[in-house]
Amino acid sequence: MVVQDSVDAADVRGGVRLEPFLHQVGGHVGVLRYDEHTVCKPLVSQEHRFYESLPQAMRQFTPRYKGTVTVHLRRDSRGHLSLVASPLQEAQDLLKVSSESAAVAMWETLQKTTSGVGSGTRPLAHLAHSFSESPAKALLRSEFHFNTAASGSQAERSFNPWGLHCHQAHLTRLCSEYPENKRHRFLLLENVVSQYKHPCILDLKMGTRQHGDDASEEKKARHMRKCAQSTSACLGVRICGMQVYQTAKKRFLCKDKYYGRKLSVAGFHQALRQFLHDGARLRTELLEPILRQLRALLLVIRSQSSYRFYSSSLLIIYDGQEPTESTPGAPAPPEASPGAPASGPGNLAKVDLRMIDFAHTTYKGSWGEGAIYDGPDPGYIFGLENLLQILRDIQDGE
């Protein structure tokens, strides 16, 4: 994260309060909602350079980069902490802030109340003040987190708890490490799930290696151990989180990264089936659009010499609300933009594939004196090929 000079308190007043992104299913850095169509995350210079030099062929498979904002921590009169963004000039014309937000209402309710289970649960607003224990312990102890991160178990919720977990941990770290008048730079990116009513999201960590070239020996060993003990080693892909809308219960089935790390090859296969199951039936009509986009992505990755997408993820997204047949005389849907999700036969099944998280991505010209690799990323390709085969097996009923 880039920490800049102190800002004057007057600059805070015209800012935009960032909200937790309630559809974040994986990762360890909180993604925040700027407006309906824009999310933001702490700027890492390597990821910033990647987005600014993105090859044309990859743009359909990555969120659209919208610039940067300065962000600072603010405490309101009640002692509640929030992150406030002040758009930089180059980003201002791209953004339109909504004054009405369901996420704002939910976040404010969560700050004022407990999760409603038991009387010993502390309000969320006070978690950021708990410096006597680590942020992770405070969050995992809280009913707010629903115990999913601690056990890797599944839970059915009206929203995914992982984004709030990351957001609170981030607030706590900022509180302990930086004064409130310090400002930070965040990346602004397209919110690729905004068009979905009930977004079903699968976060897949791609490749057989997850550590970057700049990792310490201790970090390398830790990541290599995680890969060796998960499907990353044998398949080149593992689950880092997912949410699947259950139509009858009108709730999301949520899984976290701890669940994904424990899966065997057979378990990974079953988890992909579960991702495509709405609680009543397997959404087989989604398979062909997903396979078509994966094949297209594979061609793009094979053409990118020197790129290594270490620790990046691939999102697969579809709407848990099944589309209805268009009625006679209804207006035709608007023509899709180049980055829009692919539609299946009859414009019924649409899916979106997006590569995310490029803080450790390296390529020729990105590192100065760093490692330069020849050819495309073999670990990423290995993962895509295995993912394609497993989905083809599901399609064939195996």
Side-chain angles (χ1 to χ4, degrees):
M1 179 186 297
V2 178
V3 181
Q4 296 186 330
D5 299 329
S6 298
V7 296
D8 187 84
D11 294 335
V12 176
R13 300 189 192 105
V16 176
R17 185 175 62 171
L18 302 177
E19 312 156 20
F21 181 54
L22 298 180
H23 295 298
Q24 180 178 351
V25 303
H28 63 277
V29 175
V31 176
L32 297 167
R33 184 185 185 275
Y34 183 95
D35 65 16
E36 183 181 356
H37 302 293
T38 311
V39 296
C40 58
K41 61 185 294 191
L43 184 148
V44 176
S45 57
Q46 195 168 341
E47 184 169 37
H48 192 201
R49 286 194 298 270
F50 171 83
Y51 276 112
E52 290 195 321
S53 62
L54 189 64
Q56 183 66 39
M58 293 186 62
R59 292 185 181 180
Q60 64 178 311
F61 294 110
T62 58
R64 184 163 64 94
Y65 168 63
K66 294 188 174 186
T68 64
V69 288
T70 58
V71 173
H72 46 274
L73 192 66
R74 183 171 69 178
R75 192 187 307 272
D76 65 19
S77 59
R78 296 171 296 173
H80 294 161
L81 295 165
S82 59
L83 290 168
V84 177
S86 303
L88 295 181
Q89 191 60 45
E90 68 265 26
Q92 238 157 2
D93 293 338
L94 293 169
L95 303 171
K96 183 179 179 181
V97 182
S98 171
S99 59
E100 298 294 329
S101 169
V104 165
M106 181 176 290
W107 178 232
E108 289 178 341
T109 300
L110 285 167
Q111 288 203 40
K112 294 173 183 175
T113 65
T114 67
S115 67
V117 182
S119 59
T121 306
R122 293 177 298 169
L124 286 177
H126 297 304
L127 286 176
H129 304 284
S130 302
F131 300 119
S132 59
E133 59 184 352
S134 72
K137 286 183 179 178
L139 287 162
L140 296 179
R141 222 166 41 77
S142 171
E143 283 291 337
F144 139 76
H145 192 52
F146 307 116
N147 297 321
T148 55
S151 63
S153 61
Q154 66 186 33
E156 290 180 0
R157 303 292 168 191
S158 57
F159 66 94
N160 198 303
W162 192 258
L164 291 177
H165 160 72
C166 293
H167 180 74
Q168 279 299 140
H170 190 201
L171 280 181
T172 304
R173 188 173 68 83
L174 288 177
C175 265
S176 61
E177 295 182 10
Y178 303 107
E180 290 180 35
N181 63 343
K182 285 289 184 180
R183 62 182 178 180
H184 316 271
R185 288 181 69 194
F186 276 49
L187 287 177
L188 288 167
L189 300 169
E190 171 193 8
N191 178 3
V192 295
V193 307
S194 61
Q195 62 192 296
Y196 297 100
K197 185 175 182 180
H198 300 295
C200 299
I201 306 169
L202 179 64
D203 184 324
L204 297 169
K205 186 72 73 176
M206 301 300 297
T208 54
R209 168 181 156 177
Q210 300 305 324
H211 60 274
D213 289 332
D214 59 339
S216 65
E217 291 304 315
E218 185 276 332
K219 189 172 184 179
K220 285 181 185 178
R222 187 170 71 249
H223 282 283
M224 289 170 68
R225 188 163 56 249
K226 288 178 185 177
C227 289
Q229 295 173 349
S230 70
T231 55
S232 291
C234 54
L235 294 177
V237 55
R238 75 171 183 261
I239 291 176
C240 276
M242 73 177 186
Q243 65 180 35
V244 189
Y245 190 67
Q246 306 295 281
T247 54
K249 297 179 180 179
K250 301 187 185 304
R251 295 171 80 81
F252 285 103
L253 176 67
C254 303
K255 304 276 192 176
D256 58 30
K257 67 180 180 181
Y258 302 99
Y259 162 83
R261 286 181 193 171
K262 297 176 183 177
L263 292 175
S264 62
V265 172
F268 182 87
H269 188 291
Q270 184 57 36
L272 288 188
R273 285 183 59 88
Q274 188 172 42
F275 173 65
L276 298 169
H277 204 287
D278 64 8
R281 72 177 189 90
L282 186 68
R283 298 279 302 276
T284 53
E285 75 277 11
L286 296 165
L287 283 162
E288 190 52 45
I290 293 174
L291 287 166
R292 184 167 64 249
Q293 288 209 56
L294 284 172
R295 288 191 290 265
L297 175 60
L298 182 57
L299 288 175
V300 169
I301 297 299
R302 283 174 171 163
S303 70
Q304 301 305 315
S305 181
S306 85
Y307 277 81
R308 295 295 181 271
F309 302 99
Y310 298 137
S311 197
S312 73
S313 286
L314 177 66
L315 299 183
I316 302 178
I317 309 162
Y318 69 89
D319 204 324
Q321 184 71 42
E322 293 193 49
T324 55
E325 295 280 356
S326 57
T327 55
E335 186 176 347
S337 62
S343 297
N347 255 350
L348 292 180
K350 64 178 183 179
V351 299
D352 215 338
L353 257 68
R354 299 296 173 116
M355 300 172 68
I356 61 169
D357 297 340
F358 304 104
H360 301 289
T361 293
T362 183
Y363 50 94
K364 187 177 180 181
S366 68
W367 259 102
E369 299 302 318
I372 297 177
Y373 299 93
D374 292 325
D377 188 332
Y380 205 105
I381 291 171
F382 180 62
L384 282 176
E385 289 174 339
N386 283 313
L387 185 58
L388 276 161
Q389 184 57 57
I390 293 171
L391 289 169
R392 283 194 292 263
D393 290 344
I394 293 174
Q395 188 178 46
D396 294 339
E398 297 181 17

